[in-house]
Amino acid sequence: MSTVGDRVRALRKRAALTQRELARASGVSFRTIENLEQGHAGTPRLETLRKLAVPLRTTTSYLQGDHTEAGNPDGATVDRWAAVRGALLGPPPSLSAGEQEPTLAGVHALVNDITPLFSGDQFAELASVLPPLLREAELLGSEGRRVRVRLLQLSGWLMVQTRQFEAAEVALARALDDSADKLESAATVNTQCWLLLRQGRLSTARELAVKWADDLEPRMSRATPDELGAWGWALLRVSAASVRDERPGDAEDALRLANAAAVALGREYATGGDFLRTFGPTTVAMKRAENASVQNQPDKVLKLANEVPTGGLRPTSNNWNRHLLDVANAEVELRNYGRAVEKLAEIRRNSPEWLPNQRFARDIMGRVVDKRRRLTPEIRELADAVRLPADM
């Protein structure tokens, strides 16, 4: 079976490029290309493959093959979520002798109570309260279907966020199996597409998102806000997968349709008050900036960031923080290191438990540290916060 390095070498030779010429054309260092072709580079980042795909006239997916993106969580993160993984991956629970059965009303109230922990990125508390709640939701049986789907959707999203991918797949598959209607299913599929993107399975993510975008497309003259939100998110996933797979035309087409759905809504809207389904003009504007970031267009990222609507319902913290990372990355690309540090510090203030799970933040911080002669106390603290290795 050919490796990523084998595919890069074959396409480079077909294009009559030396390794140094490919390095200049792609912006990837000569040493990285040399190590990649010699099999010494490990699994490359998706961003590296995307840059190489352009001069090699191929797609990111082809260079990558069927391998998923590297980047397993560190040991502390794995340990933190052990009980949650056990609740999701273990055998069905049963009542112990003398144990009182949970009630639907009680579980429903608990799910409502902990939902702000998800939206507020309170990971430490969730690691404690989630395992027993997952068990109680499972013990409800058929009468607890709806509340169990909601809890599995939230848990699956959390597992994607913290790179517990096997647990995420199981939680989301179970939620989809129990979903009662298309819109409830669409909320789960939206997170499944995000999972596939995080794993680097771009072709699969795109195919799934395209299928659901086609199935969900409403008649605009009669579309409800819920329908517009579900369709809009499916289109955003199509765009995200396409731009990462070096399909800019497909990405722009999907983004244009998503913008039409957002314009029809006229505001940020959360179906059923579900923060995970928040969609509207602000979300689309941030995703447009994210696409520009993926395409390595820092000037465009900053221009689009200035055009992101403010006011009204705020998008999810995950999407807003990702947007701030795109802005920080653009500032680094333009050598505005102080501004990049300001954005990272803002994320840390607002979402201190979210930041350490972001490889993108570590990449940005690594470049800041590399370019600064002296590290201020703030930069050192941020480097620790994103878990930047000491040798970087």
Side-chain angles (χ1 to χ4, degrees), residues 152-153 155-158 160-161 165-179 184-209 211-212 233-234 237 241 276:
L152 287 169
Q153 288 173 336
S155 300
W157 175 85
L158 178 65
V160 177
Q161 187 72 264
F165 292 152
E166 182 184 6
E169 288 177 357
V170 170
L172 295 171
R174 287 171 55 193
L176 191 60
D177 286 343
D178 273 354
S179 293
E184 191 174 59
S185 298
T188 301
V189 171
N190 182 32
T191 305
Q192 285 182 322
C193 289
W194 180 41
L195 167 62
L196 293 167
L197 288 170
R198 272 213 141 181
Q199 291 175 308
R201 297 162 62 185
L202 302 181
S203 294
T204 306
R206 182 176 178 277
E207 290 167 5
L208 180 61
K211 175 186 179 301
W212 276 84
W233 261 116
R237 297 307 189 195
L276 292 180

Side-chain angles (χ1 to χ4, degrees), residues 2-5 7-8 11 44-54 56-69 196-197 199-207 238 240-247 250:
S2 65
T3 65
V4 176
R7 290 188 284 276
V8 169
L11 288 172
R45 289 292 312 277
L46 281 179
E47 176 62 16
T48 299
L49 295 182
R50 193 200 69 78
K51 289 180 178 179
L52 290 171
V54 178
L56 293 177
R57 298 179 179 273
T58 188
T59 65
T60 311
S61 292
Y62 175 78
L63 289 181
Q64 181 190 35
D66 294 328
H67 299 290
T68 58
E69 182 181 10
L196 293 167
L197 288 170
Q199 291 175 308
R201 297 162 62 185
L202 302 181
S203 294
T204 306
R206 182 176 178 277
E207 290 167 5
V238 174
S242 296
V243 76
R244 286 165 172 78
D245 203 18
E246 201 54 40
R247 298 173 181 266
D250 292 342

Side-chain angles (χ1 to χ4, degrees), residues 67-344:
H67 299 290
T68 58
E69 182 181 10
N72 292 326
D74 59 31
T77 301
V78 171
D79 290 343
R80 165 178 282 184
W81 299 110
V84 176
R85 290 196 308 275
L88 290 169
L89 301 176
S94 58
L95 284 172
S96 303
E99 183 181 3
Q100 188 175 2
E101 292 187 16
T103 66
L104 177 59
V107 174
H108 188 272
L110 286 170
V111 172
N112 286 340
D113 287 345
I114 71 166
T115 296
L117 300 180
F118 288 95
S119 60
D121 303 316
Q122 302 297 307
F123 294 165
E125 195 167 349
L126 282 169
S128 175
V129 303
L130 201 50
L133 186 53
L134 283 164
R135 179 177 181 273
E136 290 190 7
E138 187 69 22
L139 287 170
L140 288 176
S142 59
E143 71 167 346
R145 184 205 61 78
R146 184 172 291 277
V147 70
R148 187 165 53 251
V149 166
R150 175 62 179 150
L151 185 59
L152 287 169
Q153 288 173 336
L154 289 166
S155 300
W157 175 85
L158 178 65
M159 294 294 94
V160 177
Q161 187 72 264
T162 56
R163 294 185 178 272
Q164 313 295 300
F165 292 152
E166 182 184 6
E169 288 177 357
V170 170
L172 295 171
R174 287 171 55 193
L176 191 60
D177 286 343
D178 273 354
S179 293
D181 57 53
K182 183 179 291 186
L183 291 180
E184 191 174 59
S185 298
T188 301
V189 171
N190 182 32
T191 305
Q192 285 182 322
C193 289
W194 180 41
L195 167 62
L196 293 167
L197 288 170
R198 272 213 141 181
Q199 291 175 308
R201 297 162 62 185
L202 302 181
S203 294
T204 306
R206 182 176 178 277
E207 290 167 5
L208 180 61
V210 166
K211 175 186 179 301
W212 276 84
D214 290 343
D215 289 346
L216 292 164
E217 183 174 3
R219 300 183 71 172
M220 296 296 285
S221 60
R222 299 188 302 183
T224 67
D226 291 359
E227 290 170 338
L228 288 170
W231 183 52
W233 261 116
L235 290 164
L236 289 180
R237 297 307 189 195
V238 174
S239 183
S242 296
V243 76
R244 286 165 172 78
D245 203 18
E246 201 54 40
R247 298 173 181 266
D250 292 342
E252 183 57 34
D253 289 345
L255 198 59
R256 184 171 59 252
L257 290 172
N259 187 63
V263 169
L265 274 171
R267 68 194 191 285
E268 292 294 299
Y269 174 79
T271 299
D274 181 359
F275 77 97
L276 292 180
R277 303 196 221 184
T278 304
F279 175 83
T282 301
T283 297
V284 172
M286 292 191 303
K287 293 303 181 182
R288 190 178 294 281
E290 182 178 318
N291 282 8
S293 180
V294 171
Q295 293 173 306
N296 197 29
Q297 299 173 330
D299 289 307
K300 186 175 180 179
V301 171
L302 298 184
K303 178 178 182 296
L304 291 170
N306 289 329
E307 299 171 359
V308 172
T310 58
L313 182 64
R314 184 170 178 169
T316 65
S317 65
N318 180 53
N319 287 316
W320 179 251
N321 288 333
R322 165 64 204 221
H323 174 65
L324 294 180
L325 285 181
D326 288 326
V327 173
N329 182 63
E331 297 288 11
V332 168
E333 291 290 326
L334 297 173
R335 301 182 181 181
N336 300 323
Y337 303 115
R339 294 177 188 171
V341 169
E342 289 175 4
K343 290 300 178 184
L344 291 171

Side-chain angles (χ1 to χ4, degrees), residues 336-386:
N336 300 323
Y337 303 115
R339 294 177 188 171
V341 169
E342 289 175 4
K343 290 300 178 184
L344 291 171
E346 179 181 347
I347 298 171
R348 186 188 179 202
R349 287 193 300 271
N350 295 333
S351 302
E353 294 187 65
W354 181 89
L355 189 60
N357 292 284
Q358 311 307 313
R359 291 185 63 208
F360 193 20
R362 282 195 288 279
D363 292 343
I364 295 168
M365 199 67 227
R367 283 180 287 151
V368 170
V369 169
D370 183 58
K371 296 298 182 180
R372 297 296 291 259
R373 292 183 179 179
R374 290 186 177 181
L375 301 185
T376 65
E378 181 182 32
I379 291 177
R380 292 183 184 279
E381 289 179 5
L382 280 171
D384 290 339
V386 302

